[in-house]
């Protein structure tokens, strides 16, 4: 896991205040989106909890004693949701899945991986997939992996075999 | 007894003998004294007691005269008078006793009191001839001083004039009507003061003199518009609006183009001096500013509801530019800092910062303490690199 390259905005105090001006806020939120996706990609973070988010270095810059307010975090996540980069786990919108690739992008990546590695028409476990070395999805959150595979299943490119014991779950690519 | 003085029986030029009485004894309060069987002489100013020595009591001490009450146990009743006296004056000449615990003396008449004497005493004390003569003596003294000439005379003249001036000022402030009638004198006095200030440039710095002069000049409207001099309310407000423009255009320009309505209210009333405007009249006349052709000033209401007078030449865009430049020079500012930098009031400072924010020129920074809101330039800020940040405005958000 390499160090996160903080963009210059991260050290700019107003970045952590949700801007009232619409134009300015739009640019601010875009900057946040780039930062968050870069961050979760580097740290392989799959789920963000709004209530715990202010302890994450992502939303809290101790060096300039600024942190993004819960409203700010909510606004950023809503914006990510619209772009397909985030999804609330349930209706309370406290926990969010964050996708640095959108689900359809992920589905393509997974299927391509299956084709390139001769996994088509054979069964492999989720554990196997997640622990494939040196891939972008290496160490991916299990729940997100299931979401990706569900998407593939919808397109009839794979079939998910879920067992009560998570580690026993597997997938068959078509 | 301490009010008595040793003296010789000599009358002053304006003193005259009223009545005499034989065989009288003096009492200090209730106590007998050694002064008995003397001759009592009442003059217009004093009461004398004579035997081997002469004592006298100035009548100015006498407060009240009472005949001693008759009673069954008091056999000497009807023979004594009680004289209640005021405190001994400091600096009186030597008398038979230095101090006394009593505030009264008694006169005991061996043969009983003669009614004539009692009445004469009472009427003499009541007449208070000595007070009249004291006054006239003082007046003659003053008259002598007035006729004096030379340096002392000139000095006295100056002192007298100063007293007149100060009493004029006092009178003027006692009554506004009087001030109206004295307006001319007052104007001259104020001119004198300003002349004196100019002459003393060495002592006061030139800047201060100039400042004071400009204050004097900026105050004062020669002929204030009044309601009675106008045909209708509408006319009145229009004329007032014209007056506002002439009176306020200069302070408005020097204040950077914006002035709170409350400030304008103070200024215009200060300038008018006497014919004061009500806040409502001012507001109405400000509203009619728009009806005037080519009015250089107009009334503006901020989103917060605060009303200001603004120069038409200063549009929002120019304020945004100015604000932006100021903030860029200082990297970031709070409202308080900005108010100082731009020399405007807090309300106006906040409004200008919000204006620049709305225009996308600044952005805000609100920290955990809720204290700061900061800003940077919209386009440049969000797309530039760290080195080029042309930020930020930090200001207090009261909301």
């Amino acid at each position: 896991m390499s160090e996160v390259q903080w963009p210059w905005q991260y050290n700019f105090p107003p970045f952590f205040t949700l801007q009232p001006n619409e134009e300015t806020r739009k640019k601010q939120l875009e900057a946040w989106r780039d930062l968050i996706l870069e961050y979760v990609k580097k740290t392989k973070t799959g789920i963000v909890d709004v209530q715990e988010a202010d302890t994450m270095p992502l939303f809290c810059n101790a060096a300039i004693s600024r942190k993004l307010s819960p409203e700010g975090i909510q606004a950023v996540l809503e914006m990510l949701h619209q772009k397909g980069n985030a999804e609330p786990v349930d209706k309370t919108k406290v926990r969010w899945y964050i996708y640095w690739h959108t689900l359809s992008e992920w589905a393509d990546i997974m299927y391509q991986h299956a084709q390139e590695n001769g996994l088509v028409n054979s069964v492999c476990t989720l554990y196997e997939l997640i622990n494939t070395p040196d891939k972008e999805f290496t160490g991916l959150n299990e729940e997100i992996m299931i979401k990706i595979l569900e998407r593939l299943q919808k397109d009839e490119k794979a079939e998910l075999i879920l067992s009560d014991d998570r580690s026993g779950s597997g997938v068959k690519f078509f | 007894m301490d009010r008595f003085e040793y003296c010789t029986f000599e009358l002053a030029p304006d003193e005259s003998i009223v009545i005499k009485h034989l065989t009288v004894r003096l009492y200090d309060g209730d106590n007998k004294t050694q002064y008995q069987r003397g001759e009592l002489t009442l003059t217009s100013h004093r009461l004398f007691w004579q035997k081997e020595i002469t004592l006298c009591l100035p009548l100015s001490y006498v407060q009240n005269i009472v005949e001693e009450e008759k009673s069954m146990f008091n056999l000497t009743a009807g023979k004594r008078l009680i004289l209640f006296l005021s405190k001994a004056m400091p600096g009186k000449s030597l008398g038979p006793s230095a101090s006394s615990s009593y505030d009264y003396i008694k006169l005991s008449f061996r043969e009983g009191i003669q009614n004539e004497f009692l009445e004469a005493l009472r009427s003499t004390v009541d007449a208070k001839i000595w007070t009249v003569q004291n006054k006239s003596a003082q007046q003659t003294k003053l008259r002598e001083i007035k006729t004096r000439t030379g340096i002392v005379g000139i000095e006295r003249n100056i002192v007298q004039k100063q007293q007149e001036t100060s009493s004029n000022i006092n009178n003027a402030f006692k009554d506004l009507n009087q001030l109206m009638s004295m307006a001319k004198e007052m104007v001259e006095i104020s001119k004198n003061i300003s002349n004196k200030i100019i002459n003393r440039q060495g002592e006061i710095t030139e800047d201060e003199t100039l400042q004071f002069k400009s204050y004097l000049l900026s105050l004062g409207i020669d002929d204030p518009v009044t309601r009675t001099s106008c045909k209708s309310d509408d006319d009145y407000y229009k004329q007032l609006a014209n007056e506002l423009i002439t009176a306020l255009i200069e302070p408005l320009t020097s204040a950077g183009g914006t002035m709170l309505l409350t400030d304008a209210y103070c200024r215009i009333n200060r300038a008018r001096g006497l014919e004061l405007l009500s806040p409502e009249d001012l507001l109405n006349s400000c509203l009619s500013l728009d009806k005037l052709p080519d009015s250089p000033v107009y009334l503006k209401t901020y989103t917060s509801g605060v009303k200001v007078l603004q120069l038409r030449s200063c549009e929002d865009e120019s304020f945004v530019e100015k604000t932006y430049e100021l903030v860029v020079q200082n990297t970031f500012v709070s409202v308080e800092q900005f108010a100082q930098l731009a020399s405007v009031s807090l309300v106006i400072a906040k409004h200008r910062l919000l204006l620049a924010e709305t225009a996308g020129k600044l952005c805000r920074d609100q920290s955990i303490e809720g204290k700061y809101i900061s800003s940077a330039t919209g386009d440049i800020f969000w797309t530039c690199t760290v080195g080029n940040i042309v930020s930020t405005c930090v200001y207090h958000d009261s909301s």
Side-chain angles (χ1 to χ4, degrees):
Chain A
M1 191 170 82
S2 56
E3 274 293 302
V4 179
Q5 286 290 315
W6 298 110
W8 65 268
Q9 288 100 328
Y10 187 69
N11 289 309
F12 184 68
F15 189 52
F16 293 86
T17 301
L18 201 57
Q19 296 300 314
N21 182 310
E22 218 168 288
E23 280 297 306
T24 317
R25 183 199 290 225
K26 221 165 124 185
K27 290 181 184 123
Q28 182 192 21
L29 289 180
E30 269 164 30
W32 267 111
R33 174 170 175 255
D34 294 344
L35 172 59
I36 290 173
L37 296 187
E38 172 73 14
Y39 178 84
V40 292
K41 190 175 173 179
K42 285 275 160 62
T43 57
K44 305 280 179 193
T45 309
I47 290 178
V48 168
D49 190 314
V50 176
Q51 282 168 351
E52 289 164 15
D54 53 3
T55 57
M56 290 168 72
L58 174 61
F59 294 112
C60 177
N61 185 348
I64 58 167
S65 30
R66 291 289 185 282
K67 60 181 177 185
L68 194 61
S69 64
E71 295 79 32
I73 294 172
Q74 203 73 42
V76 170
L77 289 174
E78 293 284 356
M79 188 268 304
L80 284 178
H81 189 148
Q82 278 173 20
K83 305 256 181 187
N85 292 103
E87 200 182 326
V89 173
D90 50 40
K91 278 180 184 169
T92 58
K93 293 192 176 177
V94 174
R95 284 159 59 80
W96 291 71
Y97 297 118
I98 309 286
Y99 318 123
W100 61 90
H101 288 299
T102 58
L103 276 184
S104 53
E105 278 169 5
W106 270 127
D108 289 346
I109 290 169
M110 287 310 295
Y111 194 65
Q112 211 181 340
H113 169 76
Q115 282 178 323
E116 283 169 5
N117 292 283
L119 298 174
V120 181
N121 283 325
S122 65
V123 176
C124 54
T125 60
L126 289 189
Y127 183 83
E128 254 179 284
L129 276 177
I130 290 170
N131 290 293
T132 316
D134 298 333
K135 287 286 174 189
E136 210 182 348
F137 49 82
T138 310
L140 191 67
N141 182 288
E142 203 180 71
E143 289 173 52
I144 292 177
M145 182 58 89
I146 291 172
K147 285 234 166 219
I148 295 166
L149 296 177
E150 275 171 351
R151 170 67 68 106
L152 277 176
Q153 186 172 256
K154 230 170 92 188
D155 295 342
E156 296 183 346
K157 286 178 178 169
E159 193 182 342
L160 209 51
I161 307 145
L162 290 175
S163 73
D164 296 340
D165 178 14
R166 272 282 163 82
S167 56
S169 300
V171 65
K172 186 183 180 189
F173 291 99
F174 298 120
Chain B
M1 275 309 279
D2 57 337
R3 278 78 159 178
F4 277 90
E5 295 169 9
Y6 292 123
C7 66
T8 53
F9 190 73
E10 262 174 38
L11 298 185
D14 49 356
E15 199 173 1
S16 57
I17 294 175
V18 181
I19 199 166
K20 289 192 178 191
H21 203 293
L22 291 170
T23 55
V24 178
R25 183 181 197 143
L26 298 179
Y27 280 67
D28 179 17
D30 292 327
N31 304 329
K32 280 182 189 171
T33 64
Q34 52 174 329
Y35 306 108
Q36 55 170 330
R37 296 193 183 207
E39 185 191 18
L40 203 61
T41 310
L42 176 70
T43 74
S44 54
H45 291 64
R46 289 176 285 183
L47 194 61
F48 287 93
W49 183 92
Q50 280 173 291
K51 202 175 178 186
E52 286 87 30
I53 54 161
T54 311
L55 301 176
C56 77
L57 173 75
L59 288 182
S60 53
Y61 283 123
V62 180
Q63 304 274 47
N64 201 7
I65 302 154
V66 179
E67 218 174 321
E68 198 169 59
E69 295 262 327
K70 289 178 184 175
S71 78
M72 277 174 64
F73 307 103
N74 199 343
L75 298 173
T76 58
K79 289 188 175 179
R80 287 182 193 165
L81 276 183
I82 306 172
L83 270 62
F84 291 95
L85 305 176
S86 57
K87 288 264 179 303
M89 301 283 279
K92 74 183 248 312
S93 15
L94 205 62
S97 84
S99 66
S100 164
S101 52
Y102 295 98
D103 269 341
Y104 58 93
I105 56 160
K106 285 184 186 171
L107 305 174
S108 176
F109 300 85
R110 201 175 164 81
E111 281 93 36
I113 303 162
Q114 291 174 7
N115 275 339
E116 284 170 65
F117 181 84
L118 182 57
E119 271 164 36
L121 182 60
R122 282 205 169 124
S123 59
T124 314
V125 168
D126 287 346
K128 296 191 176 175
I129 292 169
W130 56 92
T131 56
V132 178
Q133 269 152 354
N134 273 349
K135 264 187 196 166
S136 67
Q138 275 175 351
Q139 273 170 354
T140 51
K141 266 186 194 170
L142 267 182
R143 247 176 251 139
E144 277 166 22
I145 290 162
K146 266 189 187 174
T147 53
R148 249 187 232 169
T149 51
I151 294 171
V152 179
I154 294 167
E155 278 177 352
R156 274 182 204 283
N157 271 344
I158 291 171
V159 170
Q160 204 182 336
K161 270 185 189 164
Q162 274 177 351
Q163 279 171 349
E164 267 171 37
T165 314
S166 68
S167 72
N168 272 352
I169 292 173
N170 285 341
N171 282 341
F173 283 105
K174 234 182 248 170
D175 188 344
L176 285 179
N177 285 331
Q178 237 170 331
L179 177 64
M180 306 266 273
S181 63
M182 287 187 171
K184 226 176 189 177
E185 279 178 51
M186 294 303 290
V187 169
E188 268 169 24
I189 289 171
S190 70
K191 266 185 195 163
N192 277 335
I193 292 172
S194 65
N195 276 336
K196 273 181 196 165
I197 288 169
I198 292 165
N199 291 335
R200 280 186 196 168
Q201 275 181 358
E203 294 168 35
I204 308 170
T205 65
E206 202 153 330
D207 277 355
E208 279 174 343
T209 324
L210 283 176
Q211 207 177 1
F212 189 77
K213 264 182 91 177
S214 71
Y215 283 151
L216 285 181
L217 288 174
S218 75
L219 299 175
I221 293 171
D222 294 337
D223 184 20
V225 178
T226 57
R227 199 180 278 270
T228 44
S229 65
C230 298
K231 283 171 258 165
S232 65
D233 272 6
D234 204 37
D235 193 32
Y236 172 55
Y237 293 137
K238 270 189 189 163
Q239 288 197 32
L240 261 187
N242 270 321
E243 188 181 297
L244 275 180
I245 292 169
T246 45
L248 294 180
I249 192 113
E250 212 173 308
L252 254 176
T253 320
S254 63
T258 320
M259 185 188 277
L260 286 174
L261 201 56
T262 43
D263 289 350
Y265 175 74
C266 292
R267 267 195 176 267
I268 192 78
N269 271 332
R270 187 80 185 263
R272 286 171 70 99
L274 292 172
E275 299 287 341
L276 298 182
L277 283 183
S278 71
E280 202 183 7
D281 280 353
L282 178 70
L283 184 58
N284 280 324
S285 66
C286 285
L287 290 175
S288 62
L289 277 172
D290 285 337
K291 294 177 200 159
L292 296 175
D294 316 322
S295 156
V297 182
Y298 69 106
L299 182 71
K300 190 178 166 71
T301 310
Y302 288 163
T303 42
S304 57
V306 176
K307 288 188 169 65
V308 295
L309 285 179
Q310 193 157 315
L311 283 181
R312 209 171 279 281
S313 57
C314 298
E315 280 308 323
D316 283 358
E317 290 78 35
S318 67
F319 283 134
V320 170
E321 277 306 314
K322 278 183 205 159
T323 310
Y324 173 56
E325 275 165 29
L326 263 180
V327 174
V328 167
Q329 281 166 20
N330 294 278
T331 317
F332 65 88
V333 295
S334 65
V335 175
E336 290 86 352
Q337 284 170 328
F338 185 74
Q340 279 191 341
L341 286 171
S343 343
V344 291
S345 67
L346 280 177
V347 181
I348 293 177
K350 187 177 176 188
H351 175 78
R352 290 207 183 152
L353 289 174
L354 289 176
L355 208 64
E357 186 188 47
T358 317
K361 284 283 188 185
L362 302 177
C363 67
R364 62 171 66 190
D365 164 33
Q366 199 159 22
S367 77
I368 305 158
E369 308 95 65
K371 195 173 169 188
Y372 295 110
I373 310 181
S374 126
S375 320
T377 61
D379 280 337
I380 304 168
F381 158 53
W382 291 112
T383 54
C384 75
T385 52
V386 190
N388 293 339
I389 298 176
V390 218
S391 60
T392 17
C393 125
V394 189
Y395 62 87
H396 204 73
D397 192 17
S398 54
S399 60

